[in-house]
Amino acid sequence: MTLMELLRDDDGSDSANERILDAAYERFLAFGVRRTTVDDVARQAGLARITVYRRFARKNDLVHGVMLRELRRFLRDFERAVAPLPTAAEQVVEGFAVTLRVVRGHSLLARLLVTEPETILPHLTTGAAPYLAVAREFVAAHLDSPDAEAIAEMFVRVSLSFLLTPSSAIPLETDDQARAFARRHLVPFLNSGGP
């Protein structure tokens, strides 16, 4: 199953999975990934340990499951924000602002970047290929260009860079600043045919 299929395959029908992921999210937020065990997650979810292990064989699978669900939620928020906008340029501008705001405000990600960067950074850097592929495919689907995939890749990588290293000479603290940056520096790629 591809990651895009996994993103679409979230109708909430598997209540045990949802309980496990809810419990894992809460434990990771309260105690961090390092200090959370699968037993802790099973107790919090009110399920047998074996039930959790059948669905998530390793703790890393549980981390991946939580991240995938959070990515799925983010992409739905992103879609709601950009879908009503009539042009690709407006979607790029608003999409960049939404991405910075939502991801920077994500409680679990913010906590782990501060308290356990060694745990979360591999998922966002050297191990980020699956997540980048999903984001690239998602953004490319919104672009009407023969170079949509290359342009989407550049947008995703620029956004990720600003998210992982927010300190910058470029003012991006507010939505308006993010929109101004996107209008000036990202939108021109739509017409140039990509990087």
Side-chain angles (χ1 to χ4, degrees), residues 9 16 35 45 51 58 64 73 78-80 83 93 105 114 117 123 130 132 141 152 172 180 185 188 195:
D9 188 33
R35 291 179 42 208
T51 302
R58 300 169 300 146
H64 179 73
R73 288 175 172 172
F78 184 96
E79 183 67 26
R80 279 192 290 274
V93 168
V114 170
H123 291 279
L132 289 175
L172 294 172
H185 299 288

Coordinates of all heavy atoms in Angstrom, one line a residue, residues 9 16 35 45 51 58 64 73 78-80 83 93 105 114 117 123 130 132 141 152 172 180 185 188 195:
D9 N -7.0 6.1 3.2 CA -7.6 5.0 3.9 C -7.7 5.4 5.4 O -7.2 4.7 6.3 CB -6.7 3.8 3.7 CG -7.4 2.5 4.3 OD1 -8.6 2.4 4.2 OD2 -6.7 1.7 4.8
A16 N -9.9 0.4 17.2 CA -8.7 0.0 17.9 C -7.5 0.8 17.5 O -6.7 1.3 18.3 CB -8.5 -1.5 17.8
R35 N 10.5 8.1 26.5 CA 10.0 7.6 27.8 C 8.6 6.9 27.6 O 8.0 6.6 28.7 CB 9.9 8.8 28.7 CG 11.3 9.3 29.1 CD 11.2 10.5 30.1 NE 10.2 10.4 31.1 CZ 9.7 11.4 31.7 NH1 10.0 12.6 31.3 NH2 8.8 11.2 32.6
A45 N -4.7 3.2 26.0 CA -5.8 2.9 25.1 C -6.8 2.0 25.6 O -7.9 1.8 25.1 CB -5.2 2.3 23.8
T51 N -2.6 -6.6 21.3 CA -3.5 -5.9 20.3 C -2.6 -4.8 19.6 O -2.7 -4.6 18.4 CB -4.7 -5.3 20.9 OG1 -5.5 -6.4 21.5 CG2 -5.6 -4.6 19.9
R58 N 6.7 -2.6 16.2 CA 7.8 -1.9 16.9 C 7.3 -0.5 17.3 O 6.4 0.1 16.7 CB 9.0 -1.8 16.0 CG 9.6 -3.1 15.5 CD 10.6 -3.0 14.4 NE 10.0 -2.3 13.3 CZ 10.6 -1.4 12.5 NH1 11.9 -1.2 12.7 NH2 10.0 -0.9 11.5
H64 N 5.7 6.2 13.4 CA 5.3 6.4 12.0 C 3.8 6.5 11.8 O 3.3 7.4 11.1 CB 5.9 5.2 11.2 CG 5.6 5.3 9.7 ND1 6.2 6.2 8.9 CD2 4.7 4.6 9.0 CE1 5.7 6.0 7.7 NE2 4.8 5.1 7.7
R73 N -4.1 14.6 8.7 CA -4.9 15.7 9.2 C -4.4 17.1 8.6 O -5.3 17.9 8.3 CB -4.8 15.7 10.7 CG -5.6 14.6 11.4 CD -5.4 14.6 12.8 NE -6.3 13.6 13.4 CZ -6.2 13.2 14.7 NH1 -5.3 13.7 15.5 NH2 -7.0 12.3 15.2
F78 N -5.0 21.7 4.9 CA -4.4 22.4 3.8 C -5.4 22.5 2.6 O -5.7 23.5 2.1 CB -3.1 21.7 3.4 CG -2.4 22.4 2.3 CD1 -1.3 23.2 2.5 CD2 -2.7 22.1 0.9 CE1 -0.6 23.8 1.5 CE2 -2.0 22.7 -0.1 CZ -0.9 23.5 0.2
E79 N -6.0 21.4 2.3 CA -7.0 21.3 1.2 C -8.2 22.2 1.5 O -8.6 22.9 0.6 CB -7.5 19.8 1.1 CG -8.4 19.6 -0.1 CD -7.8 19.8 -1.4 OE1 -6.5 19.6 -1.6 OE2 -8.5 20.2 -2.4
R80 N -8.7 22.2 2.7 CA -9.8 23.1 3.0 C -9.4 24.6 2.8 O -10.2 25.4 2.4 CB -10.3 22.9 4.5 CG -11.2 21.7 4.6 CD -11.9 21.7 6.0 NE -11.0 21.4 7.1 CZ -10.7 20.2 7.4 NH1 -11.2 19.1 6.8 NH2 -9.8 20.0 8.4
A83 N -8.5 24.9 -1.5 CA -9.4 24.5 -2.5 C -10.4 25.6 -3.0 O -10.6 25.7 -4.2 CB -10.3 23.3 -2.0
V93 N 0.3 30.8 -2.4 CA 0.5 31.8 -1.4 C -0.2 31.4 -0.1 O 0.4 31.4 1.0 CB -0.1 33.2 -1.9 CG1 -0.2 34.2 -0.8 CG2 0.8 33.7 -3.0
G105 N 2.6 25.4 14.8 CA 1.7 25.4 16.0 C 1.3 24.0 16.4 O 0.5 23.8 17.4
V114 N 12.1 20.3 20.5 CA 12.8 20.9 21.6 C 13.4 19.9 22.5 O 14.5 20.0 22.9 CB 11.9 21.9 22.4 CG1 12.5 22.3 23.7 CG2 11.5 23.1 21.5
P117 N 15.1 16.2 19.8 CA 15.4 16.4 18.4 C 16.0 15.1 17.7 O 15.7 14.8 16.6 CB 16.3 17.5 18.3 CG 16.9 17.7 19.7 CD 15.8 17.1 20.6
H123 N 13.1 11.5 11.2 CA 11.8 11.3 10.4 C 11.6 12.5 9.5 O 10.9 12.4 8.5 CB 10.7 11.2 11.4 CG 10.6 9.9 12.1 ND1 10.2 8.8 11.6 CD2 11.0 9.7 13.4 CE1 10.3 7.8 12.5 NE2 10.8 8.3 13.6
P130 N 9.6 9.2 2.4 CA 8.2 8.9 2.2 C 7.2 10.0 2.5 O 6.2 10.2 1.8 CB 7.9 7.8 3.3 CG 9.3 7.3 3.7 CD 10.2 8.4 3.5
L132 N 8.0 13.3 2.3 CA 8.2 14.3 1.2 C 7.5 13.8 -0.1 O 6.9 14.7 -0.8 CB 9.7 14.5 0.9 CG 10.5 15.2 2.0 CD1 12.0 15.2 1.6 CD2 10.0 16.6 2.1
A141 N -0.5 17.7 -7.5 CA -1.9 17.5 -8.0 C -2.7 18.8 -8.1 O -3.7 18.9 -8.8 CB -2.6 16.5 -7.1
A152 N 6.5 21.3 -7.2 CA 6.0 20.8 -5.9 C 7.1 20.4 -5.0 O 7.1 20.7 -3.8 CB 5.0 19.7 -6.1
L172 N 9.0 35.8 8.6 CA 7.9 34.8 8.3 C 7.1 34.5 9.6 O 6.5 33.5 9.7 CB 8.5 33.5 7.8 CG 9.2 33.6 6.4 CD1 9.9 32.3 6.1 CD2 8.2 34.0 5.3
A180 N 3.5 37.2 1.7 CA 4.3 38.2 0.9 C 5.5 37.4 0.3 O 5.9 37.6 -0.8 CB 4.7 39.4 1.8
H185 N 8.5 35.1 -4.1 CA 9.6 34.1 -4.4 C 9.1 32.8 -4.8 O 9.8 32.0 -5.5 CB 10.5 34.0 -3.1 CG 11.1 35.2 -2.7 ND1 12.2 35.8 -3.4 CD2 10.9 36.1 -1.7 CE1 12.6 36.9 -2.9 NE2 11.8 37.1 -1.8
P188 N 6.5 33.0 -8.7 CA 7.2 33.0 -10.0 C 7.6 31.7 -10.6 O 7.7 31.5 -11.8 CB 8.4 33.9 -9.7 CG 8.0 34.8 -8.6 CD 7.1 33.9 -7.8
P195 N 12.2 24.9 -11.0 CA 13.6 25.3 -10.6 C 14.6 25.0 -11.7 O 14.4 24.2 -12.5 CB 13.8 24.5 -9.3 CG 12.7 23.5 -9.2 CD 11.7 23.8 -10.2

